[in-house]
Amino acid sequence: MTATALTLTGARTGQSAPVSFEQVTKKYGNVLAVDNLTLSVENGELMVLLGPSGCGKTTSLRMLAGLEKITSGVIRIGDVVVNDLPPRSRNIAMVFQSYALYSHLTVFENLAYPLRVRKLKKDEIKRRVQEVAERVQIADLLDRKPREISGGQRQRVALGRAIIREPSVFLMDEPLSNLDAKLRLHMRGELKRFQRDLATTTIYVTHDQAEAMTLADRVAIMNKGVLQQVGPPREVYRQPVNMFVAGFLGSPPMNFLTLDVQAEEGQLWLTGPNVRYPLPPEQAAAVRQASLARLALGVRPEHITLSHHPDERAIPAEVYLVEDLGNELLVDTRVDGQQAVIRIPAGPAPSIGDRIWLSFSPADLHLFDPTTEARLPSTSPAPRATLS
Amino acid sequence: MAGESRIGTLLRYAGIALVLAIVLFPVYWMINMSFKDTAEFTARPPTMIVKRPTWENYRDILISQGFDRYAWNSLLTALTAAVVAVTVGSLMAYALSRFRLPKNFNYHLLFTILTVRMFPPILSLIPLYYIYKQIGLLDTRFGLGLIHAWVEVPLVVWMMIGFFRDIPRDMEEAALVDGDTRLGVLRKIAVPLARPGLAATFILVFISSWNEFLFALILNSRNQTLPIAVAGQITQFEIRYGNLMAAGVFATVPVLILAFLTQRHLTRGLTVGGVTG
Ligand SMILES: Nc1ncnc2c1ncn2[C@@H]1O[C@H](COP(=O)(O)OP(=O)(O)O)[C@@H](O)[C@H]1O
Ligand SMILES: [Mg+2]
């Protein structure tokens, strides 16, 4: 088994190729599905396309696969511009959200399809199907039809059909979204492992930020057809470039409080009817430079600590709701009528209606321009990961 | 059906029986009459069940009139028609279901093709006669089959387009990405999945060609098909009722057998497009 895995790995690594989108746009009539996408995926990298439903992830993948014509721009696989190549000439393998198994063929024939098309010899096909079937643990299902196996098994067949040949790129469109929660977690781990072993460039589409964070070498976050930010999970999480990215990553999402900016006593304050928060000096310079009257202050629920005692440097809030998740508490509060959620370890819970004070480290504070939603320049905490 | 009363069930079956009786009586009557001799035929009131069954009528048409030859002509014609119509029609249906032409052309094509069936066939008969005469297809079974196919292609297109639309698109796209060509996908994915529809349309075209009269009469008088031969029992001088009935039975039986053999495909094909994983 180990030996097989090794030969598989060895055979595959050399084939992988980088991918690049260069100013790629796709329009359906008047709908701008993908807007000027520029993104390069390195050889062997696992890139996750993340974004809400309808943001153009699938369209991007389909353009790369050759299933959708490009309105403008260039797509390259390796050095080859593939814009006008049919899918079969692009040497990609794709796992569809619906799995798209051939319902009239057995599992064996499903796996064999890409090899038969390539006119491999009978015993070679048989050997490789057997090998891959063992790898994805469906060797005992080879005679069944897709409708006779479970959802998880179908997923494995789809995966097996993708890895049975030596593609330059793997494309996966929400491959786990049809599985139940437990199986999804399990398969997520397996996918990551396969990708590591095969070391083949992979573009993985999902709307699930947790899935993206755990799988990705780098994440590309999209919204309304526009690429927002690309970077390693840690980086996009810590230094989101705008309120969309900040709000999309993390669960529950980042809290935003829109507050007035006031200069008093040689110091900047963020104020609301009940709030008077002194801006830490390291942030103040940037705010001065931007000369904004209002700011959106962002803090993640897990970065807030909660106190029952008044504090000059904290933000007063009222407890609106408490959710006990067993291992942790979600405290839903209101700050001048704006929502702020706090995640704290399980323990004594505040009661609804309690007056509490929220505090956080300046390093965990994110500031955004509420009109453009962009992050204020140079207010990012000292970079911990290298930017690419 | 849960909650339906016994009386409701009874009424339902009674209704079905009534409809069946009305539909099947003429068929029964044809069979009944085909076994009667001349005397019994003319008896008044007619006998509901034949009293002195005889093979005389069948012997007449099969041995004296050579109906086996006509059946052979019909078979060749109908096979030609079915093969050509299903091939051409389903290719067109596939193209229309998979490729989007500009300016809503898909719809226009689909509608235009229906016009073939909109004017009375007899209008095209005389031009066709001359064309066929020129190109040497007159009085050939192949030529007649082609005409029948031409008439039935719209039906095939309209039926098959539904079947092809029901095939999940991403199944075909998966095959394209797996490295196959469009034609490969058509052959290995679309056709197998649309098989019930192909079978159903094949049989419908076959039957329609088998029974067609007008074109067969004019364009192929030298290789008579069964409907012409059946009608031939009515002559200027007499109507050979017994032969007529026997010929009718003889012409119907092959189609019935065909329908029974393919019943499973037919019902599935005519009721649903059903391709489910
Ligand atoms: N075939 C199509 N025709 C018209 N609009 C489409 C088509 N496919 C996708 N779209 C539109 O393009 C946008 C992006 O879709 P998609 O790439 O499927 O999003 P995602 O995969 O991120 O959910 C959506 O607004 C969608 O409605
Ligand atoms: Mg999608």
Side-chain angles (χ1 to χ4, degrees), chain A residues 62 65 67 87-88 92-94 96 98 100-104 113-114 117-118 146-147 154 161 165, chain B residues 169-182 184-185 188-190 192-193 275-277:
Chain A
R62 290 171 55 85
L67 298 172
R88 66 175 181 279
I92 39 184
M94 184 158 173
F96 290 72
S98 62
L101 299 183
Y102 309 127
S103 58
H104 59 302
Y113 199 100
V117 171
R118 283 170 182 74
R147 80 178 90 86
R154 284 179 206 169
R161 191 174 63 183
R165 59 205 175 86
Chain B
R169 248 191 130 95
D170 50 11
M171 207 186 289
E172 294 192 356
E173 289 174 345
L176 287 176
V177 171
D178 275 347
D180 217 338
T181 58
R182 251 299 154 193
V185 170
K188 283 176 269 178
I189 309 287
L193 285 173
V275 188
T276 37

Side-chain angles (χ1 to χ4, degrees), chain A residues 135-137 155-156 159 176 183-197 215:
Chain A
R135 192 110 201 264
V136 295
Q137 298 165 24
Q155 216 280 331
R156 287 168 180 280
L159 185 63
L176 305 181
L183 199 53
R184 186 153 61 221
L185 282 187
H186 176 71
M187 282 310 290
R188 191 163 89 185
E190 300 236 313
L191 272 181
K192 177 91 184 161
R193 196 53 223 258
F194 277 129
Q195 203 273 338
R196 269 286 139 75
D197 291 350
L215 279 175

Side-chain angles (χ1 to χ4, degrees), chain A residues 292-315:
Chain A
L292 293 167
R294 282 170 81 71
L295 267 186
L297 174 157
V299 204
R300 295 203 179 275
E302 58 271 34
H303 291 151
I304 302 178
T305 50
L306 176 161
S307 150
H308 281 274
H309 308 293
D311 180 348
E312 287 270 291
R313 307 190 68 83
I315 292 177

Side-chain angles (χ1 to χ4, degrees), chain A residues 28 31-34 51-60 68 173-174 205, chain B residues 100:
Chain A
Y28 293 106
V31 181
L32 193 53
V34 175
S53 174
C55 73
K57 310 177 296 284
T58 297
T59 306
S60 307
E68 212 72 65
D173 191 355
E174 315 222 2
V205 161
Chain B
R100 188 101 138 261

Side-chain angles (χ1 to χ4, degrees), chain B residues 30 33-38 41 56-58 60-61 233 239-249:
Chain B
M30 178 172 74
M33 298 286 263
S34 72
F35 287 106
K36 292 182 180 178
D37 58 26
T38 320
F41 221 107
E56 198 51 45
N57 297 319
Y58 288 95
D60 227 39
I61 59 162
Q233 306 309 308
I239 301 177
R240 298 192 287 260
Y241 280 108
N243 288 1
L244 189 62
M245 293 299 151
V249 173

Side-chain angles (χ1 to χ4, degrees), chain B residues 79-183:
Chain B
L79 278 180
T80 306
V83 168
V84 172
V86 169
T87 309
V88 172
S90 52
L91 282 174
M92 176 165 179
Y94 185 72
L96 285 177
S97 72
R98 285 296 177 264
F99 303 105
R100 188 101 138 261
L101 301 170
K103 303 233 178 276
N104 215 1
F105 223 71
N106 291 50
Y107 170 81
H108 295 309
L109 269 178
L110 204 50
F111 183 78
T112 308
I113 195 173
L114 265 192
T115 55
V116 170
R117 309 206 52 145
M118 280 181 186
F119 48 86
I122 201 160
L123 282 183
S124 54
L125 197 54
I126 293 168
L128 275 175
Y129 184 89
Y130 278 103
I131 295 170
Y132 262 39
K133 200 165 173 183
Q134 294 293 319
I135 61 178
L137 282 178
L138 197 65
D139 285 328
T140 63
R141 291 164 290 211
F142 178 71
L144 182 60
L146 278 189
I147 293 293
H148 288 166
W150 169 65
V151 173
E152 296 302 330
V153 157
L155 172 88
V156 177
V157 172
W158 276 76
M159 271 186 69
M160 286 314 297
I161 207 164
F163 281 95
F164 286 130
R165 276 189 187 144
D166 277 356
I167 297 175
R169 248 191 130 95
D170 50 11
M171 207 186 289
E172 294 192 356
E173 289 174 345
L176 287 176
V177 171
D178 275 347
D180 217 338
T181 58
R182 251 299 154 193
L183 273 181

